[in-house]
Amino acid sequence: MDALSGLLAGPRAQGAFILRSVLSPPWSVRVEDAAPLSVVALAHGAAWVMPEAGAARCLSPGSVALMRGPAPYTFADTPSTPVRTVVRPGPHRTTPSGQHLREVVDLGPRTWGNDVPRDATVMLIGKYQMTGEVSNRLLRALPPVLVLPHDPQRPIDPVGLLAEEVVREEPGQQVVLDRLLDLLLVTSLRAWFAQAGTGAPAWYRALSDPVVGRALRHLHSDPASPWTVGALASEAGVSRATLARRFTELVGQAPIAYLADWRLDMAADLLREPEVTIEAVARRVGYASASALSTAFKRERGITPQQHRARFRTRGGAEKQPP
């Protein structure tokens, strides 16, 4: 598995909150729901996204915006429109003063808004509401707000597919929507990583280095091996000192520290699979026993593998309804 595939294999929505929002101007929605990751695709009209800190960005039809939580952000028809709606955890919609919002109405399956004129802005909103659904490694790779313009050359149109499915009510519909949300996120991330000068994480940029890239590919393809700096240096064809210095300069971590983080990220994803024992997870990512994995996991994540698995089980699978 290459480094990018390992990163993109992680997103796995379970009963995700997915909503079609239809709004006519003037409108402005501040989101304070603290979701780990939100995905908004613009199906029709125009919208602006404004992070808590940073410049406002304009979305056109087909654009996709990714917002990394828990920082709040605002969507509006124009940057100057005062906030009219606040989305709080739950999610619950209120006025800026905290009163229950009554003007937003049900416009059909998973569709809410303030009006249905022909010129309304239509947004498709998906939320990964549990940290277990998206790996910490992926969240760390993202900026607070990422906007990707529509690319008519893409072989598939996940925005169009999601727009068609979100208003349907058929057996298994939630599972279809979960997978389409994953598809939209993964294709958006892949497009972002492919762009030059995007601010991609250091480890991704280091993949192009002839020395460090080779070491990274070994770590990602075989994390369970008992790697040492010397073994990696031998595979890369350089001295231990050269690899250690170059790896730390380009990636920002020493090779073995990077490997330790990668192993725990993989373990966190594998623990979502109920049929895989913790002992098996430990051995697949390079730990001698479940106890060794538990010690490392608790030290770095603050919870045990059992607690991580239980958190995902108890909060996953239940279908979330629109507020």
Side-chain angles (χ1 to χ4, degrees), residues 3-273:
L4 185 54
S5 294
L7 183 74
L8 298 184
R12 203 170 312 163
Q14 287 201 350
F17 174 78
I18 299 178
L19 178 71
R20 179 173 175 263
S21 181
V22 182
L23 297 165
S24 60
W27 61 270
S28 180
V29 180
R30 179 175 170 83
V31 182
E32 299 178 353
D33 61 4
L37 183 63
S38 301
V39 183
V40 175
L42 193 65
H44 184 266
W48 287 81
V49 59
M50 291 158 282
E52 188 75 350
R57 300 285 301 277
C58 184
L59 278 69
S60 57
S63 297
V64 178
L66 309 179
M67 281 69 61
R68 187 191 68 204
Y73 54 89
T74 300
F75 272 88
D77 61 326
T78 69
S80 61
T81 300
V83 172
R84 294 168 175 258
T85 303
V86 179
V87 178
R88 306 183 190 274
H92 299 292
R93 295 171 181 266
T94 72
T95 64
S97 62
Q99 297 177 329
H100 178 68
L101 194 65
R102 300 181 182 279
E103 66 182 56
V104 177
V105 295
D106 185 352
L107 300 175
R110 301 180 187 84
T111 302
W112 289 64
N114 62 6
D115 208 345
V116 287
R118 294 181 60 184
D119 61 346
T121 294
V122 179
M123 296 185 296
L124 309 174
I125 303 165
K127 292 186 176 292
Y128 292 86
Q129 301 187 90
M130 299 173 290
T131 54
E133 292 178 289
V134 186
S135 70
N136 288 332
R137 186 177 186 80
L138 173 55
L139 294 176
R140 291 197 303 266
L142 293 174
V145 174
L146 171 62
V147 175
L148 291 150
H150 173 60
D151 182 1
Q153 302 302 317
R154 289 186 188 179
I156 56 175
D157 178 19
V159 175
L161 291 173
L162 185 59
E164 290 180 7
E165 290 290 339
V166 72
V167 295
R168 293 183 179 178
E169 288 285 19
E170 297 181 11
Q173 193 66 28
Q174 184 63 52
V175 175
V176 173
L177 293 173
D178 284 348
R179 298 291 74 79
L180 286 177
L181 178 60
D182 292 342
L183 176 65
L184 178 60
L185 174 60
V186 169
T187 54
S188 298
L189 289 171
R190 187 173 62 180
W192 179 59
F193 274 91
Q195 296 175 9
T198 57
W203 59 262
Y204 180 78
R205 298 193 301 271
L207 287 169
S208 60
D209 183 82
V211 172
V212 178
R214 187 176 301 176
L216 281 168
R217 282 186 281 273
H218 280 292
L219 294 179
H220 281 268
S221 63
D222 191 10
S225 287
W227 291 109
T228 64
V229 176
L232 284 171
S234 178
E235 294 289 348
V238 295
S239 69
R240 291 180 55 192
T242 296
L243 176 65
R245 174 182 53 79
R246 195 174 183 90
F247 196 105
T248 303
E249 287 177 353
L250 295 182
V251 178
Q253 284 182 291
I256 302 307
Y258 178 89
L259 174 61
D261 283 351
W262 173 233
R263 284 172 169 170
L264 291 180
D265 286 337
M266 287 191 65
D269 286 344
L270 289 169
L271 286 166
R272 293 179 294 179
E273 304 294 340

Side-chain angles (χ1 to χ4, degrees), residues 308-322:
H308 174 82
R309 171 169 277 177
R311 178 183 295 178
F312 186 74
R313 282 179 178 174
T314 55
R315 295 185 64 193
E319 183 168 342
K320 282 78 174 177
Q321 298 296 333

